[in-house]
Amino acid sequence: MISVVRGMRDLHGNELAAWQQAEDVIRATTAAFGYSEYRTPILEFTELFKRGVGTDTDIVGKEMYTFEDRGGDSLTLRPEMTAPIVRAAIENNLVRHSPTTRLWYLGPLFRYERPQKGRYRQFHQFGAECLGSAHPEADAEIILLAMETLAGIGISSFRLEVNTLGSPESRAAYRAELVAYLSSNIDALSADSVRRLDTNPLRILDSKDPADAEVVKGAPRLYDYLDDDSKAHFGAVFGILDSAGIPYTVNHRMVRGLDYYSHTVFEIVTDALGSQNAICGGGRYDPLFAILGGTATPAVGFSIGMERVMLLLEAEHGGWTPAAGPDVFLCCASDAARLPSQLLALRLRRAGLSVVTDVLRRSVKAQVREADKLAAQVMVTLGDDEMERQEVVVKHMASREQRSVPLAALVDEVMKDLKA
Ligand code: HAM
């Protein structure tokens, strides 16, 4: 037997129906905020992520599915969506055509991580990116869009954590202080953090290693090194969140795992999913356009991990709501009715109804069992007697009440039962 690839999942049945409902909420909420969908290819040049996400990040260093194609190009299955969206915006001049460009996306991503509950090698993100504004209203809009979507999907056990990384200049001053402090405690740091001391010392701040966390407790605070503009920007974001009644906490140690951020960063976290506690990550990434060779363009966005949202939905609601069955099961009661019953099904489908027919040539009894199993609302039966009288039997499955109706009135009669 050939199994599914480790860390990847099939989606079907009631779970898939719940995903589709969540996707409907995503479409409605993004439309309400004026965001348009954007779809990029699943493969990009490897260079895009190396430059965009940063070579010292876990994503680029250890987690990418990278291969050489037959033409010798190094391609990568996208591990995140922000770099592809910015690539597309630069390539298609999106921001020049419209000064603020608001985009959303939903699709599969690939990271070679150790699989566990809530962490997969193929997973899906819904995300949004607001391109072109350096102002705090854009940061707040993005946070509100993420929060409104999660609430609309029907989950509530999450909270918002925010932080600011300030401008690149103020961060540089802080970085020097932080490295000095961490170097004086180097013996207490994990091996990973010792390595990061040279390459990406800020990441040590949100290390999950208990030894690192102990050292970090005494570390200087980034916020104290920020310039006035950075603090004012952060304060303005708070002001909007406060006015909108959105609760949040400031997590001074949050730095996020990708290199492109500046100013506001945020995560939406939950206690209900064990160690995979982040359901959304995002922030402002003003440097990214220039890093990818475009005109400097401020931007802010987020990505929500769909699998984690769906796990939370399942946990909060005690399972999946069963998907609705078909409107009609069309039961064929004789050999001669086989073709006419298929044509009747087509007539009902063209009237907008969902109809399942028997294609196994089973007995009427077996077909009734199937109609119940599928939770069909109405069963329509056509046999020799009915054909002779130009009638069908319409049965309301929940009440088990049935009646003969003229063939010509079929659609109207079925509609009556569906409303009942
Ligand atoms: P990220 O924090 O790497 O950010 O991922 C965002 C979310 O994707 C996480 O909070 C989590 O819910 C989900 N996620 C990540 N990896 C996995 C995995 N292996 N299995 C299941 N879910 C996962 C970004 O990707 C940035 N592009 C966010 C962003 C958008 N920043 C600005 N704009």
Side-chain angles (χ1 to χ4, degrees):
M1 189 196 68
I2 299 175
S3 65
V4 70
V5 174
R6 186 164 133 81
M8 308 202 178
R9 309 169 61 235
D10 298 320
L11 257 182
H12 56 97
N14 295 341
E15 185 186 359
L16 180 59
W19 273 68
Q20 287 166 336
Q21 280 175 21
E23 289 167 13
D24 289 343
V25 172
I26 288 168
R27 277 174 227 289
T29 316
T30 47
F33 277 74
Y35 282 65
S36 313
E37 187 178 3
Y38 204 96
R39 299 187 187 184
T40 61
I42 287 173
L43 285 175
E44 298 275 359
F45 287 113
T46 303
E47 192 58 22
L48 174 68
F49 302 110
K50 282 195 174 163
R51 269 164 60 188
V53 178
T55 43
D56 190 54
T57 59
D58 283 349
I59 293 178
V60 174
K62 327 187 220 185
E63 296 169 0
M64 294 205 300
Y65 282 87
T66 296
F67 65 96
E68 205 172 277
D69 76 359
R70 288 169 196 276
D73 285 322
S74 178
L75 303 182
T76 292
L77 285 171
R78 61 188 190 191
E80 66 100 53
M81 278 299 293
T82 308
I85 287 284
V86 171
R87 190 265 310 136
I90 296 169
E91 195 171 352
N92 301 314
N93 255 325
L94 297 184
V95 182
R96 209 163 303 158
H97 290 311
S98 149
T100 50
T101 304
R102 296 174 162 97
L103 304 173
W104 70 272
Y105 48 82
L106 173 65
L109 291 301
F110 302 84
R111 294 185 192 175
Y112 194 83
E113 295 193 80
R114 200 167 44 78
Q116 61 182 75
K117 186 179 171 191
R119 188 164 71 196
Y120 308 99
R121 289 180 175 173
Q122 175 176 319
F123 61 100
H124 297 75
Q125 282 181 349
F126 153 57
E129 314 289 347
C130 178
L131 314 177
S133 166
H135 296 295
E137 291 77 18
D139 307 43
E141 176 177 290
I142 276 292
I143 293 175
L144 286 170
L145 173 54
M147 299 290 277
E148 293 285 312
T149 308
L150 293 175
I153 287 173
I155 56 176
S156 57
S157 49
F158 57 83
R159 59 177 194 281
L160 172 64
E161 292 189 354
V162 293
N163 193 21
T164 178
L165 302 178
S167 62
E169 301 76 41
S170 55
R171 210 158 57 237
Y174 171 71
R175 185 187 152 120
E177 287 295 319
L178 179 68
V179 170
Y181 167 81
L182 292 172
S183 302
S184 64
N185 290 281
I186 196 162
D187 295 342
L189 290 176
S190 69
D192 247 3
S193 291
V194 170
R195 191 179 49 78
R196 284 207 170 110
L197 206 49
D198 290 330
T199 52
N200 199 348
L202 264 72
R203 280 311 314 270
I204 300 173
L205 292 178
D206 66 2
S207 161
K208 295 220 160 74
D209 187 295
D212 292 338
E214 203 49 46
V215 177
V216 163
K217 271 185 196 161
R221 228 172 48 158
L222 172 57
Y223 189 79
D224 300 327
Y225 290 76
L226 295 187
D227 51 48
D228 291 345
D229 285 351
S230 297
K231 285 182 178 165
H233 182 97
F234 199 37
V237 177
F238 287 171
I240 301 171
L241 294 179
D242 288 338
S243 309
I246 303 288
Y248 56 88
T249 51
V250 179
N251 174 354
H252 285 287
R253 288 202 271 277
M254 183 203 305
V255 296
R256 308 266 310 126
L258 304 89
D259 278 358
Y260 45 58
Y261 292 108
S262 64
H263 295 288
T264 315
V265 288
F266 65 96
E267 284 186 349
I268 300 174
V269 296
T270 177
D271 297 324
L273 294 181
S275 58
Q276 302 312 307
N277 69 337
I279 54 180
C280 172
R284 180 163 279 289
Y285 50 93
D286 296 347
L288 187 56
F289 271 75
I291 291 172
L292 293 178
T295 313
T297 305
V300 54
F302 69 81
S303 307
I304 288 176
M306 287 298 292
E307 280 77 4
R308 294 184 191 173
V309 167
M310 299 314 285
L311 279 170
L312 205 53
L313 189 66
E314 187 187 17
E316 283 189 24
H317 295 248
W320 304 120
T321 318
D327 296 324
V328 176
F329 187 91
L330 214 150
C331 172
C332 170
S334 76
D335 285 344
R338 216 155 265 144
L339 175 62
S341 67
Q342 292 294 331
L343 299 178
L344 270 192
L346 195 57
R347 197 170 125 201
L348 289 164
R349 289 172 183 144
R350 286 179 176 160
L353 302 178
S354 57
V355 185
V356 174
T357 66
D358 172 65
V359 288
L360 291 172
R361 302 192 170 185
R362 283 173 297 186
S363 68
V364 169
K365 205 169 140 203
Q367 291 183 63
V368 175
R369 228 181 294 129
E370 176 75 3
D372 277 327
K373 205 170 113 198
L374 292 174
Q377 296 190 58
V378 175
M379 189 165 84
V380 171
T381 304
L382 186 69
D384 291 343
D385 291 349
E386 287 79 20
M387 285 200 296
E388 202 171 306
R389 292 198 297 269
Q390 287 291 295
E391 287 181 344
V392 283
V393 177
V394 173
K395 181 174 185 175
H396 184 250
M397 294 301 277
S399 65
R400 293 325 233 203
E401 276 170 22
Q402 64 177 53
R403 62 195 185 283
S404 291
V405 306
L407 255 180
L410 174 64
V411 174
D412 289 343
E413 291 295 328
V414 169
M415 290 291 191
K416 274 187 207 158
D417 276 19
L418 288 176
K419 283 188 199 126

